[in-house]
Amino acid sequence: MRSCPMFTLIVIEDEYWTRELIKQFVHDSNLGIQIIGEEENGEDGFSLIRERKPDIVITDMNMPHMNGVELLKKLEQHHPEIKLIVLSGHDDFVYTKQAIRSGVIEYLLKPLDKESLKQALLACLVRITKERTGRAASSIIVLPSDVLNIVVQHKRNVRTFVNLGNSDAIRQALTECFEQLKSKIEENSYQWWRIYQEFLKELEECMSLAGTEMKEAFEDDRLLHGEQARPMTGAEAHEKLTTLYDIALGHIDALRKAKKKIDLKEIQQYINVHYKEPISLEKLAVRFYVSKEYLSKAYKSQIGENIMDNITRLRMEAAKEAILDGRLPINHIATSVGYSDASYFHKVFKKYYGMSPLALREK
């Protein structure tokens, strides 16, 4: 099922077959763009634009009644917010000069090819989305399912190696990922930028899990926020990510070395605040820069209770209180105390209290 259109487009082109080709290309792009009108000349096209106010206009330059140069001047004056893609059968200097002055996104020469038009449309959507939301949205840059599967798998591997502090394994995982993707993506494409953003977001989550932030590791803020959505090569994305992960891992390693000894009071305070979240022994170990084996042993030795038993106890006590209160559905209570699987919550609760949540409520 195709998603509901988020963006609108008008085509102004005097050649019937070119209009049909554009419509087919736009449909095949699956970018959420709806064509809301078409005209054969600039004069009628301008009237249609004023009436329907599209997000994007694709226009030919050489048309009857009002040519592309005149149309661009009018749009620049009356509708500067509309994103423009210009088509021409000639690489004409006059046309090109006016296109640049009018803020045209792309100047495409005929005969038109599908990939060039798709990249031009993506450039328009990136600018529109940034203007609407205040930031560039990578969600509009679609990755094919086979590409996305490769990215997801290697993101998972990279996260594991960050937690282990293994920089060589991280570099190897990134290299393997980009080698597998090389034959599936155009060399200079917005899709490489989207993949770059996916791994950047993964790095941010890894650093948050380690109890630090990206801005603490990177003195040059441009490394993180200077990247506007743009076509990027795989080699460039790979090189940038390798550098970023190296710097981040060095920062995390320095924090671990600066941590002289385990602070169980600090850890318990963290558990008391976050026990309703999906925390685990491994996540706690990463956050407090110790091995999970050492954390488990030290906690049991000093607190007298296994760390996961402590988390379970806090969850069960909170669940019991909510069940006896009687206002919330039991499945909602399960979610609120950290159990996404309601049946597993029922099993743990019955084992802990010797009765089901419903039996306790009805008691």
Side-chain angles (χ1 to χ4, degrees), residues 11-15 18 22 57-63 67-69 72 84-99 104 106-113 116-117:
V11 180
I12 307 171
E13 163 63 60
D14 61 331
E15 296 175 358
T18 301
I22 290 170
V57 168
I58 297 177
T59 180
D60 190 14
M61 291 300 278
N62 188 16
M63 298 180 294
N67 65 25
V69 172
L72 291 181
L84 304 169
I85 298 173
V86 164
L87 310 178
S88 178
H90 306 281
D91 192 5
D92 189 288
F93 176 74
V94 175
Y95 290 168
T96 306
K97 184 178 179 181
Q98 184 58 45
V104 168
E106 290 287 349
Y107 186 89
L108 303 178
L109 293 178
K110 297 178 181 178
L112 194 61
D113 71 88
S116 295
L117 180 59

Side-chain angles (χ1 to χ4, degrees), residues 29 64 69 78 110 140-141 187 191 197 208 228 295 308 319:
S29 72
V69 172
H78 297 284
K110 297 178 181 178
I140 64 171
I141 301 172
E187 177 55 23
Q191 290 181 336
Q197 293 297 317
S208 176
Q228 299 293 334
L295 173 59
M308 294 311 297

